[in-house]
Amino acid sequence: MNSLIKLELTRALRNRKFLFFSVIYPSALFLLIAGNADSTTKVDGTGLTVPTYMMVSMASFGALTAVLMGNSERIAKERESGWVRQLRLTTLPGRGYVLAKTASAAVVSLPSIVIVFVVAATVKDVHLDAWQWLALTGAIWAGSLIFAALGVAIGYLATGDAVRPITMITYFGLSMLGGLWMPSTTFPDWLQNIAKWLPTHAYAALGQAIELGDAPHAKDLAILAVYFALFAGGAAWLYRKDTLKA
């Protein structure tokens, strides 16, 4: 399994297009959205300034990009090409393939989080305590595993031709409706009521609570736990179904 993880990491790091969208794109989008924002103006209903709010949103968005986009399309295409079937003939356990995909995506997601933080601190003068920077990094990185599980599930659900549109709709839908691109407080009331139950909204809320010096809300943790159970359970079921089909 270690050899497969190394292979997946090498492939991910050589994919310049993937690295751009998962590592550089979130920080560029942060500068685009928060670049001209006043560092003292707060986002309504959050208690955070625009730069601090968007810093967590874009770091979460970068991690989401790495683990969701990085897993779903590769798995679907490798199933279609017969690579997954070949791996089943080796001594690699079934969970090893999924773990290798998740591990490689998680490694790529960490730089995207850190770069957004560095850009926010240097360009927009965002100041936090040392424990907050560490807690933010850990929370966003660990929380990305929820969407890694979703990526695996989509990879086993969709065919090679259908995986990209399904992933893109899921990716952009969760990002926009979850409040990663703009504060959900700007949404109409009916849309806010939907957004607050989405995993991306709860995901970003973890970082926002840390920025305010608070502990994450129990409701957000519960929402994320439920979604993780659904996504991981769905991925496991789809994997077993695919194995029986093969």
Side-chain angles (χ1 to χ4, degrees):
M1 186 171 68
N2 290 336
S3 298
L4 183 59
I5 291 176
K6 291 179 182 178
L7 174 62
E8 291 297 332
L9 284 174
T10 301
R11 292 174 61 187
L13 294 175
R14 285 180 178 174
N15 189 335
R16 296 180 180 179
K17 184 185 296 185
F18 176 66
L19 286 177
F20 171 80
F21 280 104
S22 62
V23 177
I24 306 300
Y25 179 52
S27 57
L29 196 57
F30 168 79
L31 290 175
L32 181 65
I33 297 174
N36 295 322
D38 188 336
S39 59
T40 60
T41 302
K42 293 187 176 182
V43 177
D44 291 342
T46 66
L48 298 170
T49 64
V50 173
T52 52
Y53 181 94
M54 293 310 303
M55 181 184 75
V56 163
S57 294
M58 288 299 104
S60 302
F61 176 66
L64 171 67
T65 303
V67 298
L68 180 58
M69 303 293 286
N71 272 335
S72 59
E73 192 165 343
R74 285 192 196 133
I75 291 174
K77 289 186 175 181
E78 287 177 0
R79 286 174 51 233
E80 196 170 70
S81 68
W83 172 242
V84 176
R85 190 179 299 109
Q86 289 296 320
L87 287 176
R88 290 197 184 108
L89 299 177
T90 69
T91 58
L92 178 73
R95 65 182 181 280
Y97 175 76
V98 175
L99 287 174
K101 290 293 184 184
T102 303
S104 63
V107 169
V108 176
S109 72
L110 184 58
S112 69
I113 297 169
V114 173
I115 289 176
V116 171
F117 288 170
V118 170
V119 169
T122 55
V123 178
K124 296 304 295 180
D125 202 28
V126 174
H127 292 293
L128 296 173
D129 292 336
W131 74 266
Q132 289 175 301
W133 289 116
L134 292 173
L136 278 174
T137 303
I140 295 174
W141 197 23
S144 68
L145 295 177
I146 297 165
F147 304 99
L150 174 60
V152 173
I154 294 175
Y156 277 104
L157 176 67
T159 63
D161 292 332
V163 66
R164 178 166 293 184
I166 292 174
T167 302
M168 294 300 284
I169 291 171
T170 304
Y171 169 67
F172 285 114
L174 288 176
S175 298
M176 289 186 289
L177 295 177
L180 299 187
W181 285 10
M182 65 183 69
S184 59
T185 53
T186 63
F187 296 169
D189 289 342
W190 66 270
L191 193 54
Q192 289 187 45
N193 291 332
I194 295 175
K196 66 183 181 181
W197 294 105
L198 295 178
T200 37
H201 186 276
Y203 181 40
L206 295 182
Q208 292 161 10
I210 293 171
E211 285 184 316
L212 292 170
D214 300 331
H217 297 155
K219 177 183 176 181
D220 295 322
L221 292 173
I223 289 173
L224 292 174
V226 169
Y227 273 106
F228 180 71
L230 289 174
F231 294 156
W237 181 78
L238 289 166
Y239 174 80
R240 288 194 296 270
K241 181 179 178 183
D242 190 68
T243 301
L244 293 173
K245 187 187 300 182

